[in-house]
Amino acid sequence: MARHAQSRVRTRLSRRSKAVGGLALSTLVGTALWAWPASGDDHNSGTDAKSTTSTTASGPDTPRVPVSAAKSAPNAAPNPPAGRPIPGLSDAARKRIPANSRQVLVVTGKDMDSFESRVVLYTREEGSDDWEPGPTWPAHNAARGWTDDHHYGDLRSPIGVFSLTDAGGLLAAPGDTKLPYDHNNSFVAGGTGVEGEPLAGAFDYVIAINYNRESGTSPLDPQRPWGDAKGGGVWLHVDHDGPTQGCVSLKPKVMRELLRTLDPDLHPVIVMGPADY
């Protein structure tokens, strides 16, 4: 089992005060996988995921800023609001949703500095402009909230619209998983989170958010097209009852449901940010 091999400075955050203080040190020893022991930036900056064993269950971005570094989702022609639009989004955010997308996962933070958010999966039928909401799920985002200029270690989740193309985890893919799924022992979360909560099981199920990564690769792939300073390893993963370092975390049942529902043929994307982004 590959494990993290580098100590990391961890920032603790009180849920009540949201003041950052203290340092937490977590070390996992093993073969060449380097990662933060909590969710967020660079879980995997030392492994080449292309060389690991990957299982495809079935089936085959643009950040808000910087515009010069933006990576467009495939066939991402603007989709102007029409029919019944997704509520709670700005027109600019709606226009970033690719025209061919029929699944949009909306993550809405309470405010710019909050680590509490809610998640809704919207779907539309082929040829329809009416977006239908699914259930609403509670979630956690990064400890310091959101940013439209994410950098490594800033403890904020990146704002933007990003494609969802790849998944993986320590556990086998749930039945009917459609995204390519890397079942890999390197999905290890150890130590404690920014509030001292245990992280065990956080990477049982993972869906990569295509922020500063190459689509079509394992979530463990260390490539950072915009450079290491812009962070990476931003995932949807299992909630550990506390804020993340940059990811979005959901209960295990919800992660399994998303893995069974998200379909590459429907070009799923995630829209994430504070309320009214």
Side-chain angles (χ1 to χ4, degrees):
M1 177 179 294
R3 292 183 178 271
H4 312 315
Q6 180 177 359
S7 297
R8 298 282 186 169
V9 175
R10 304 298 312 282
T11 306
R12 293 185 178 275
L13 181 73
S14 167
R15 220 183 249 278
R16 299 178 176 223
S17 66
K18 298 183 184 176
V20 177
L23 298 175
L25 189 66
S26 171
T27 306
L28 292 176
V29 180
T31 57
L33 176 68
W34 296 73
W36 283 91
S39 53
D41 289 320
D42 286 342
H43 310 280
N44 40 50
S45 60
T47 188
D48 182 356
K50 292 182 179 179
S51 66
T52 62
T53 301
S54 177
T55 301
T56 300
S58 64
D61 302 29
T62 62
R64 190 175 181 185
V65 294
V67 175
S68 61
K71 175 182 178 182
S72 298
N75 304 314
N79 185 23
R84 185 163 57 243
I86 296 173
L89 300 179
S90 67
D91 286 344
R94 291 191 185 107
K95 289 176 181 178
R96 288 188 176 95
I97 297 172
N100 61 355
S101 179
R102 290 167 52 198
Q103 291 180 322
V104 176
L105 194 67
V106 177
V107 181
T108 306
K110 284 186 175 181
D111 56 54
M112 195 71 175
D113 298 320
S114 173
F115 57 74
E116 294 180 339
S117 50
R118 66 187 186 98
V119 176
V120 181
L121 179 62
Y122 287 85
T123 59
R124 65 180 178 88
E125 297 295 326
E126 187 173 6
S128 172
D129 292 321
D130 292 336
W131 289 97
E132 299 291 341
T136 299
W137 302 302
H140 286 109
N141 51 274
R144 290 177 176 167
W146 301 91
T147 180
D148 56 9
D149 188 14
H150 178 61
H151 284 78
Y152 180 84
D154 65 7
L155 291 180
R156 290 186 179 270
S157 296
I159 294 170
V161 179
F162 310 101
S163 56
L164 301 171
T165 57
D166 307 286
L170 186 64
L171 301 182
D176 298 326
T177 294
K178 299 176 179 63
L179 292 173
Y181 190 94
D182 181 15
H183 180 201
N184 196 312
N185 286 341
S186 294
F187 285 100
V188 176
T192 57
V194 295
E195 290 195 328
E197 74 282 5
L199 298 178
F203 303 155
D204 284 352
Y205 303 113
V206 161
I207 299 171
I209 295 170
N210 285 354
Y211 169 85
N212 198 16
R213 71 177 299 271
E214 292 290 342
S215 62
T217 64
S218 166
L220 296 171
D221 185 4
Q223 296 180 80
R224 300 289 179 258
W226 310 331
D228 293 342
K230 293 296 293 177
V234 182
W235 298 343
L236 292 162
H237 66 69
V238 175
D239 189 65
H240 44 78
D241 296 321
T244 72
Q245 291 193 17
C247 297
V248 174
S249 61
L250 295 144
K251 296 301 183 184
K253 180 180 179 180
V254 179
M255 285 299 299
R256 289 191 291 267
E257 183 172 344
L258 287 175
L259 285 167
R260 288 190 292 262
T261 303
L262 295 176
D263 186 343
D265 291 341
L266 303 182
H267 308 285
V269 299
I270 184 170
V271 181
M272 50 195 284
D276 298 321
Y277 156 65

